[in-house]
Amino acid sequence: MNEKTQPVTANPADVVSVNAIIKALYESVSFPPGRQPDYTRLRTLFHLNGIVIPPRTDHSAEFAVTDVETFINRSRQYVITTGMERKGFHENEIARRTESFGSIVHVFSTYESRYQPGDPTPIQRGINSIQLGRDGKRWCVLSILWDVERPGNPIPKDYAP
């Protein structure tokens, strides 16, 4: 059976609050050298029909909206082909703006990425746009869309630490 018919149960501590699920999201994509992201944990944070929208490499191209399984499959290959599996990867939140209404929350989460947590300079910075929902029992990621800082696209002052 595919993952959409047999969801993996989330650790209740990961989905109890907005802070908890954002923390779990960053922890699940971070990994030491010789490992990969914790895809099982990542999968549990998403709604059954959650979507992931990575940055476009060609900024005139359309967005590539994927389901979580497609994102995980592509990420596994990317981690290997780029050498990240040997180097490690650590992403952490450095600032946050949150808007909420009822059972929906929108989080703009500014992040920095490094190969190792102690590296002096980030390899990348950007903003994750995360949409969360609460179904009465738990929080889940409905979608995540992000873009990276680059020349001509700096992190806006209001979203910087």
Side-chain angles (χ1 to χ4, degrees), residues 32-111:
R35 305 281 309 269
Q36 285 247 345
D38 186 345
Y39 294 118
T40 300
R41 186 180 187 192
L42 179 66
R43 189 179 286 116
T44 70
L45 304 177
F46 278 82
H47 182 272
L48 197 58
N49 296 309
I51 59 171
V52 180
I53 310 162
R56 299 169 295 161
T57 52
D58 174 357
H59 300 288
S60 63
E62 292 187 21
F63 288 104
V65 178
T66 65
D67 62 24
V68 176
E69 288 308 309
T70 300
F71 172 76
I72 287 172
N73 290 333
R74 289 178 182 169
S75 176
R76 281 186 209 279
Q77 291 303 313
Y78 181 82
V79 167
I80 293 167
T81 60
T82 61
M84 285 173 112
E85 193 172 42
R86 289 187 327 273
K87 298 175 188 174
F89 180 78
H90 181 79
E91 189 168 273
N92 68 297
E93 184 177 58
I94 58 171
R96 182 189 301 180
R97 291 185 68 162
T98 304
E99 298 290 334
S100 61
F101 177 72
S103 61
I104 60 173
V105 172
H106 181 230
V107 177
F108 272 109
S109 177
T110 306
Y111 67 87

Side-chain angles (χ1 to χ4, degrees), residues 8-9 44 51 66 76 81 114 131 137 150 152:
V8 179
T9 303
T44 70
I51 59 171
T66 65
R76 281 186 209 279
T81 60
R114 291 175 164 76
Q131 290 69 47
K137 296 177 256 172
R150 60 186 174 281

